[in-house]
Amino acid sequence: MVEQHADVILDNAKNCDVSFLVVGDPFGATTHTDLLLRARQAEIPYNVIHNASIMNAVGCCGLQLYSFGETVSIVFWTDDWKPDSFYDKILANTTRGLHTHCLLDIKVKEQSIENLMRGKKIYEPPRYMSAAQAARQLLEIIQKKRVEGCEDTELAYTEKSVCVGLARVGSDDQRIVATTLQKMTTTDLGPPLHSLVIAGHLHPLEVEMLTLFTDDLTLFENVVLL
């Protein structure tokens, strides 16, 4: 609605108070910034109430927020659409020793191509990408890079790279697991929402924190320490 029918929100706001509630911080999405700019242009007064966000709550896993690089988004692949442009951003982060926070796709109120073409407002069941599925797609990307001639030393990450899966952060049943990217492909973190972090160079305090979330202490034998 925000992307396609923002005018409905704004038209009502000219005559009465309208509240727009989001998951995370309001400015975590460009569409929300666009909504604010439209309100400003229409001379509609607004008030922003900031909220907790996974962008900073991810620090609960023990990785220091100052050591994160650019955040990336991983979308659901299809048989004929497998975008991987975010790989270069991960590579830039890991080259600098920085962690990469991967935000995982959410498909809510999506229509199939067939229903879109027929103009039927029939929606697909909601889908939420898991950390395991994201890890599988990430490993498929490096397999492709290897076929293209990349050596493992040139890759942004490998199967042995340390990663952290987070689920339902902030809830009573939140779960955090530190493991290798390969093992993450079969790790069940339970219900959504999930996010995934690919670790860069680690500070000893970060390693100490991550040991709280793993049963494999050999995980950190080959990491680069700060």
Side-chain angles (χ1 to χ4, degrees):
M1 179 178 182
V2 180
E3 292 176 354
Q4 299 177 16
H5 305 290
D7 290 340
V8 174
I9 299 174
L10 296 174
D11 287 344
N12 287 329
K14 292 176 181 177
N15 304 310
C16 61
D17 291 339
V18 173
S19 295
F20 175 52
L21 307 180
V22 302
V23 175
D25 191 80
F27 294 124
T30 52
T31 49
H32 304 162
T33 302
D34 177 66
L35 191 63
L36 182 149
L37 291 173
R38 292 190 190 197
R40 186 70 177 267
Q41 290 166 0
E43 298 184 345
I44 299 171
Y46 60 85
N47 181 41
V48 178
I49 301 173
H50 292 284
N51 188 19
S53 169
I54 190 61
M55 297 293 286
N56 62 288
V58 68
C60 68
C61 73
L63 297 177
Q64 298 171 4
L65 294 180
Y66 285 108
S67 296
F68 278 78
E70 188 171 355
T71 300
V72 303
S73 295
I74 301 178
V75 300
F76 282 112
W77 283 354
T78 64
D79 291 338
D80 54 3
W81 187 65
K82 297 185 176 183
D84 60 3
S85 58
F86 56 82
Y87 173 86
D88 291 334
K89 295 180 180 180
I90 300 175
L91 179 60
N93 287 343
T94 53
T95 299
R96 298 169 59 200
L98 300 175
H99 313 311
T100 302
H101 188 189
C102 305
L103 303 178
L104 310 185
D105 202 4
I106 297 173
K107 295 289 187 186
V108 178
K109 217 170 183 182
E110 293 281 326
Q111 290 179 276
S112 66
I113 299 297
E114 181 181 356
N115 286 328
L116 275 173
M117 293 177 65
R118 293 183 176 181
K120 293 183 177 180
K121 292 189 176 181
I122 300 174
Y123 302 104
E124 299 295 297
R127 290 191 297 153
Y128 305 90
M129 182 179 286
S130 67
Q133 184 170 2
R136 289 192 291 270
Q137 290 187 187
L138 286 167
L139 291 187
E140 191 172 327
I141 291 171
I142 61 169
Q143 293 297 347
K144 175 184 164 187
K145 296 293 181 184
R146 286 171 176 144
V147 171
E148 293 171 352
C150 279
E151 299 292 335
D152 277 15
T153 53
E154 302 173 309
L155 295 172
Y157 50 84
T158 69
E159 291 83 354
K160 296 180 180 179
S161 293
V162 175
C163 66
V164 185
L166 302 97
R168 302 173 303 285
V169 170
S171 65
D172 291 338
D173 65 340
Q174 79 171 24
R175 189 161 179 224
I176 303 171
V177 173
T179 186
T180 64
L181 204 51
Q182 181 65 60
K183 290 182 179 178
M184 185 59 71
T185 63
T186 57
T187 299
D188 182 6
L189 296 179
L193 296 168
H194 293 191
S195 63
L196 181 69
V197 179
I198 301 171
H201 298 171
L202 295 171
H203 188 278
L205 281 176
E206 291 178 307
V207 172
E208 189 173 353
M209 279 292 293
L210 289 179
T211 58
L212 301 177
F213 308 117
T214 185
D215 55 7
D216 179 13
L217 297 184
T218 64
L219 180 64
F220 309 107
E221 287 181 350
N222 298 313
V223 301
V224 177
L225 295 178
L226 294 174

